Amino acid sequence: MYKISTLFFSLIFFLPLTAPAQIPAVDAVREYKEANSHQILSDYFELLKIPNVAGDIENIKKNADFLISAFEKRGASMELLTLPNKLNVPPVIYGEINTPGAKRTLILYVHYDGQPADLKNWTHAPWEPSLYSASMEENGRLIPFPDVGEPIDPEWRIYGRSTSDDKAPFPAILATLDALKESDITLTSNIKFFFDGEEEAGSPHVREFLERYKNKFEGDLWVFLDGPKHQSGRPQVVFGVRGVTGMEITVYGPSRALHSGHYGGWSPVPGQMLADLLASMKNETGEILIEGFNDSTAPVTEADREAFATLPDYDDQIREELGLSWTEFEDRSLIESFMYPTLTIRGLSSGNTGELARNVIPATATASIGIRLAKGNDPQKMQDKIEAHIREQGYHIVREDPDTETKLSHRKIAKITRSGGYPAMRTSIDDPMAQQVVAAVERAASEEVILYPSYGGTLPIFHFEEVLQTPIVIVPIANHDNNQHAPDENIRIGNIWYGMEVYSSIFTME
């Protein structure tokens, strides 16, 4: 097994990566793909045609039935896990493939639900998958599904809801199992499946599933198959995600909107009050000024810093794409920033602008604050720190709109409405089981593997970590420009082929 320093050294410096053609499992899936690509994609189109919004229980169950049937054909033992007396909760699809003499048990997580879709914003109906010769942004054109025997270009795109997030792993897993069986290549791990039916709804019941069926989820490593690859297109393994919480802050001025000519320069202005309050929380370089905001943040380790060394320097290119001449914390890369908590103004509201602007002093001003959490940050305690800061600025905090008596009794009033949230999760990069997956991805890839200590986004993975006490890694396969959650979501076909190669290496790793 690689030691972490040896692994990074080989990734960055002298040791060449093993070409995929030299690995029997990868050879097998490449040969299988060449002979069966039309069938792989045809089956995938059938899955994509089934709407999969978590609240649409009838169609969610159709998705579940499709997947259970598909995996049972590959020899998996499958079942639906439900919660008693909760008929409208999407079921978890659970399955097992056991191999005598297996070296470990891997538990694969994929979610089969998707984001809702507003039909009027899509070029084509979201659940009627369409094939394009390239991405729409690159002037790709709509093309018919090819006949058997016609070549399939890996640059083609499939457009439709959940093509990348998160149904893309399904065709890759199924085709990998078919290819390995056809070539008589034995799995080296027992494999369990956890397919979530309400991830895009926040997985509100996932902890209940984990606690109720805990004995089923015993294993050595969770492998989450979700998310996009790096912007460079290089393969990557991710070791965690940030947590999230937030709040809304409303400050109050006069009991009704006032004419700015008659009362301007005399009445307090809520918009100005809120601007001053927000400015006291964070300076222009990005430093958060709230006392103790970083105190609970887990330190960046030497292994994390070695992981940063595997990352391509893409920040300048991203700034150019986004039209940014500067970024917060100029000495931090985008990826390094994921290791720290953030405070973001998600929205501001007070009066109107543009043609609707009026000469008034509004009665209130509201800000929506987003807080991304790093490892070690507790959502509620971080909210407590923000509230303590607001009190230090002279504000009396309320939970409901204040009445007249309350407003006359306090100079400054802020209504705080807290949102829920959950903490960050991060597996140590030098975890032995995680290193095995990194080595497997490295063997399958023709490029250096990028190691992300943490995604910037959030998944409810902390439930899995807390309940099961098992290490977790994320192995993404989707193209970074997949329009995740947005209209015209898509998957590059070559990324499905990439998934097959990576999964074959993981399923047969020593």
Side-chain angles (χ1 to χ4, degrees):
M1 184 184 302
Y2 282 111
K3 297 295 184 182
I4 188 68
S5 58
T6 304
L7 173 60
F8 283 115
F9 197 72
S10 68
L11 285 172
I12 303 168
F13 295 105
F14 301 116
L15 298 184
L17 293 167
T18 306
Q22 296 174 307
I23 305 169
V26 176
D27 274 352
V29 297
R30 291 174 68 140
E31 292 170 6
Y32 183 85
K33 179 260 296 181
E34 290 300 323
N36 298 277
S37 56
H38 293 76
Q39 189 62 54
I40 295 170
L41 296 181
S42 178
D43 291 345
Y44 189 35
F45 270 56
E46 291 305 309
L47 175 60
L48 292 172
K49 290 176 182 177
I50 309 173
N52 62 332
V53 177
D56 182 359
I57 295 299
E58 180 179 354
N59 277 312
I60 278 290
K61 289 181 177 177
K62 289 180 181 178
N63 279 273
D65 290 342
F66 182 102
L67 291 168
I68 284 179
S69 175
F71 278 87
E72 285 180 341
K73 290 177 182 176
R74 276 76 179 182
S77 300
M78 305 295 292
E79 62 178 304
L80 286 181
L81 305 183
T82 59
L83 298 176
N85 304 318
K86 293 185 177 180
L87 300 178
N88 291 323
V89 172
V92 166
I93 305 171
Y94 174 77
E96 297 181 5
I97 297 178
N98 294 313
T99 301
K103 298 178 180 293
R104 68 192 70 76
T105 297
L106 303 176
I107 311 171
L108 307 185
Y109 172 99
V110 187
H111 67 86
Y112 65 96
D113 69 316
Q115 282 279 324
D118 186 346
L119 276 64
K120 69 177 181 293
N121 294 324
W122 284 68
T123 303
H124 306 282
W127 289 283
E128 294 179 10
S130 55
L131 191 61
Y132 269 69
S133 60
S135 71
M136 292 180 181
E137 290 75 15
E138 296 175 343
N139 298 316
R141 67 184 190 284
L142 181 66
I143 57 176
F145 194 89
D147 293 329
V148 175
E150 292 182 8
I152 292 177
D153 189 334
E155 296 301 326
W156 289 354
R157 302 283 182 115
I158 304 171
Y159 280 83
R161 177 55 87 214
S162 296
T163 48
S164 61
D165 184 25
D166 186 33
K167 287 183 176 180
F170 292 123
I173 296 171
L174 293 168
T176 297
L177 294 174
D178 288 339
L180 296 179
K181 182 178 180 180
E182 186 173 283
S183 296
D184 293 322
I185 297 176
T186 304
L187 304 181
T188 58
S189 302
N190 293 323
I191 298 178
K192 296 182 178 181
F193 303 106
F194 184 107
F195 300 153
D196 189 353
E198 54 177 0
E199 192 272 348
E200 297 294 7
S203 295
H205 299 94
V206 71
R207 193 179 189 98
E208 194 171 349
F209 277 111
L210 293 173
E211 290 174 342
R212 181 174 183 81
Y213 298 101
K214 185 176 180 179
N215 63 312
K216 291 183 178 293
F217 305 129
E218 294 177 356
D220 298 295
L221 181 73
W222 281 81
V223 184
F224 273 63
L225 307 179
D226 194 3
K229 294 170 65 181
H230 188 263
Q231 291 91 337
S232 66
R234 281 172 49 189
Q236 68 181 19
V237 177
V238 184
F239 296 83
V241 293
R242 285 203 283 202
V244 67
T245 188
M247 60 172 56
E248 283 205 347
I249 304 169
T250 299
V251 301
Y252 296 84
S255 57
R256 65 179 185 275
L258 300 176
H259 190 288
S260 61
H262 297 324
Y263 293 94
W266 182 82
S267 170
V269 180
Q272 183 65 53
M273 295 166 61
L274 183 59
D276 291 342
L277 176 60
L278 296 175
S280 74
M281 296 182 183
K282 183 176 175 180
N283 66 23
E284 64 179 9
T285 68
E287 180 185 2
I288 296 172
L289 306 176
I290 296 167
E291 184 176 355
F293 200 74
N294 264 308
D295 287 355
S296 61
T297 301
V300 177
T301 67
E302 186 59 32
D304 295 329
R305 297 192 187 283
E306 289 179 330
F308 297 149
T310 72
L311 302 172
D313 185 3
Y314 251 66
D315 280 27
D316 286 344
Q317 181 174 328
I318 296 171
R319 289 188 191 98
E320 183 175 350
E321 290 177 0
L322 299 178
L324 296 174
S325 62
W326 65 279
T327 49
E328 296 181 346
F329 290 100
E330 298 281 2
D331 59 337
R332 281 184 198 164
S333 68
L334 172 62
I335 308 308
E336 287 178 275
S337 70
F338 298 163
M339 309 297 282
Y340 301 92
T342 69
L343 188 72
T344 302
I345 300 171
R346 298 183 296 197
L348 290 169
S349 175
S350 187
N352 297 288
T353 61
E355 294 181 356
L356 296 177
R358 296 172 295 155
N359 292 320
V360 299
I361 298 171
T364 62
T366 300
S368 178
I369 304 296
I371 308 157
R372 291 289 176 170
L373 306 174
K375 182 72 172 177
N377 302 149
D378 176 85
Q380 184 172 333
K381 290 180 180 178
M382 297 297 275
Q383 291 173 325
D384 290 344
K385 292 178 188 294
I386 296 173
E387 288 197 10
H389 178 85
I390 293 172
R391 289 190 178 94
E392 288 176 359
Q393 309 312 304
Y395 279 87
H396 173 68
I397 291 178
V398 296
R399 305 299 173 188
E400 303 289 342
D401 289 328
D403 57 21
T404 300
E405 182 180 353
T406 301
K407 291 185 67 178
L408 292 174
S409 300
H410 300 278
R411 181 180 180 88
K412 295 191 288 187
I413 297 172
K415 181 178 74 172
I416 306 295
T417 305
R418 294 188 177 195
S419 60
Y422 33 82
M425 166 271 152
R426 198 161 85 233
T427 293
S428 174
I429 288 180
D430 49 12
D431 179 90
M433 203 55 71
Q435 286 187 46
Q436 292 181 19
V437 171
V438 171
V441 175
E442 178 188 4
R443 285 192 295 270
S446 58
E447 297 178 276
E448 292 177 348
V449 177
I450 294 173
L451 304 179
Y452 263 38
S454 176
Y455 262 148
T458 302
L459 294 169
I461 298 179
F462 86 99
H463 292 300
F464 295 80
E465 181 184 43
E466 286 189 351
V467 174
L468 301 169
Q469 300 294 305
T470 305
I472 300 167
V473 294
I474 305 169
V475 180
I477 67 169
N479 42 291
H480 78 278
D481 57 347
N482 62 65
N483 293 340
Q484 181 179 353
H485 292 189
D488 294 335
E489 180 181 350
N490 66 88
I491 187 74
R492 175 181 169 272
I493 289 176
N495 286 66
I496 297 175
W497 305 155
Y498 164 80
M500 291 172 60
E501 295 179 9
V502 167
Y503 298 166
S504 71
S505 186
I506 293 174
F507 293 174
T508 60
M509 63 189 183
E510 293 300 323

